Amino acid sequence: MSKTKSPTERLLSPVVEGLLRCPICKRRLERRSETFQCTGSNCAAVFPMIRGVPVLLNEERSLFRINEVASELRGSAERNALTACLRRLVPAISVNVAARRNFGLMSILLHRRTPTPRVLVVGAGTLGEGFGALLSDPTIELVETDVSLSSRVCIICDGHDLPFDDQSFDGVVAQAVLEHVVDPQRCVEEIHRVLKPEALVYAETPFMQQVHLGRFDFSRFTHLGHRRLFARFRELDSGVACGPGMALAWSYMYFLLSFARSRTIRRLLKAVAMVMAFPLKYFDYYLADKPGALDAASGYYFLGEKGDSPLTDRDLVRLYEGAF
Ligand SMILES: [Zn+2]
């Protein structure tokens, strides 16, 4: 599941390289040794490669800077080692009750459209739960992207300005990503643009979940708020990905964390909270399909296909299936 790619595997296929576009002006990019240059005469932006990975950021509109990408990598490696150590010692309080099934369904639907689907993963730095169904299928070409470098990422880019031509992909995955972007609606518009007609999108986004990733955490969505983000898509399925049990466990943990400022004490409290609260997540297997869970979930998923007639807000509110 946590398969690590070698640098060679990260290399872009010639087809994907041909789909690359300037994140600033969307014109074609030309490879010049270790850089990509925009062919637009008024733009002519030059983008570097770090460890063989193109860094295609529109710095004027992105939170992220090209020269910060390499230093971010070192910091995250240290944080990940500590987190991994903690995770080995205590049981997880999180569970995703839908992802495995949903990625299985997405794989079947992708293959109904084409025998060799090309899927863009936005925010691929951390492997999402259940993603194995796509990962283990050699007929699916995954183009994994994120705003920082990791062993999985083959292009560094920002979801607000995806550096790809229109209609490049048969599917897009954005798992636990849209809460971390400053303008989720703009990111979904970019996802819509790079998808082929009737191609698939799969997103999971939190609702009742405390701040994670520190300063890079901006939005939460109700079930219908999440559906409205994807108003230009036809819904194939949507619902609870992480349920009320997980929401309660997170609330308990963050309640305890509110008492401490010191990092060491916070880590200790986190471990205590996880040991005390982890059984709550098992209720989610029972609760996930109940109407009340649609009002109280930790997070929702949406699986849809690209369409052109947008869902109106009056039609949106008719879709409410909670317990109110
Ligand atoms: Zn350009």
Side-chain angles (χ1 to χ4, degrees):
M1 179 66 191
S2 56
K3 190 170 74 175
T4 303
K5 289 180 172 182
S6 73
T8 326
E9 284 178 294
R10 276 209 314 246
L11 291 178
L12 297 175
S13 72
V15 176
V16 173
E17 200 169 305
L19 296 171
L20 291 179
R21 293 294 179 271
C22 172
I24 302 166
C25 71
K26 298 292 191 282
R27 287 193 180 80
R28 209 167 49 77
L29 289 175
E30 217 167 64
R31 175 101 179 245
R32 292 188 181 172
S33 181
E34 287 302 289
T35 62
F36 281 88
Q37 179 155 0
C38 175
T39 55
S41 52
N42 292 333
C43 175
V46 179
F47 303 95
M49 293 176 83
I50 295 177
R51 300 189 192 178
V53 177
V55 185
L56 304 177
L57 293 171
N58 179 359
E59 290 192 311
E60 270 194 31
R61 295 209 302 191
S62 177
L63 277 176
F64 303 96
R65 296 289 172 269
I66 290 168
N67 62 10
E68 289 169 355
V69 169
S71 54
E72 278 287 321
L73 175 68
R74 285 191 292 275
S76 65
E78 283 166 22
R79 284 194 298 275
N80 289 344
L82 284 168
T83 308
C85 181
L86 188 65
R87 277 183 187 155
R88 274 196 298 274
L89 292 172
V90 291
I93 57 168
S94 303
V95 68
N96 188 321
V97 295
R100 191 180 299 268
R101 179 194 69 217
N102 291 341
F103 280 119
L105 174 61
M106 186 175 187
S107 176
I108 292 167
L109 295 174
L110 283 167
H111 284 106
R112 277 186 196 158
R113 287 160 169 79
T114 168
T116 53
R118 184 183 306 121
V119 175
L120 171 68
V121 186
V122 181
T126 307
L127 206 59
E129 209 165 324
F131 190 64
L134 299 192
L135 194 65
S136 60
D137 187 336
T139 64
I140 298 178
E141 183 180 14
L142 294 174
V143 179
E144 297 179 83
T145 69
D146 209 325
V147 289
S148 61
L149 200 55
S150 79
S151 59
R152 304 211 54 79
V153 168
C154 65
I155 298 168
I156 289 172
C157 65
D158 188 321
H160 297 87
D161 288 290
L162 292 173
F164 303 100
D165 197 6
D166 298 354
Q167 303 187 14
S168 293
F169 296 97
D170 303 293
V172 173
V173 171
Q175 196 177 16
V177 168
L178 294 173
E179 74 271 31
H180 298 300
V181 301
V182 290
D183 189 346
Q185 191 67 65
R186 175 168 172 75
C187 289
V188 175
E189 280 165 19
E190 279 289 271
I191 289 170
H192 191 271
R193 181 183 66 77
V194 301
L195 282 171
K196 297 174 186 174
E198 302 190 340
L200 303 176
V201 66
Y202 180 72
E204 286 177 3
T205 316
F207 170 45
M208 299 293 284
Q209 220 173 79
Q210 285 74 9
V211 168
H212 49 281
L213 278 189
R215 70 196 66 187
F216 299 105
D217 194 348
F218 306 102
S219 309
R220 297 293 182 269
F221 296 91
T222 62
H223 182 231
L224 289 190
H226 197 228
R227 177 67 188 91
R228 191 176 190 276
L229 268 184
F230 296 92
R232 293 175 70 198
F233 290 83
R234 281 185 290 276
E235 178 175 324
L236 302 174
D237 196 10
S238 73
V240 171
C242 304
M246 179 175 146
L248 183 56
W250 272 58
S251 291
Y252 174 65
M253 183 168 79
Y254 275 76
F255 166 73
L256 288 187
L257 293 178
S258 305
F259 288 94
R261 281 187 72 101
S262 129
R263 280 191 165 210
T264 311
I265 294 176
R266 282 176 66 83
R267 282 204 187 104
L268 193 65
L269 286 175
K270 200 169 181 178
V272 169
M274 289 166 97
V275 170
M276 297 293 288
F278 82 92
L280 288 168
K281 70 184 178 193
Y282 296 112
F283 286 99
D284 290 344
Y285 290 102
Y286 170 73
L287 293 171
D289 61 352
K290 307 286 181 289
L294 278 177
D295 297 326
S298 179
Y300 302 104
Y301 68 86
F302 175 78
L303 175 64
E305 64 180 3
K306 181 175 174 173
D308 283 323
S309 45
L311 180 74
T312 67
D313 287 340
R314 283 184 65 81
D315 286 338
L316 173 76
V317 296
R318 289 191 192 104
L319 298 176
Y320 177 73
E321 291 179 354
F324 183 71

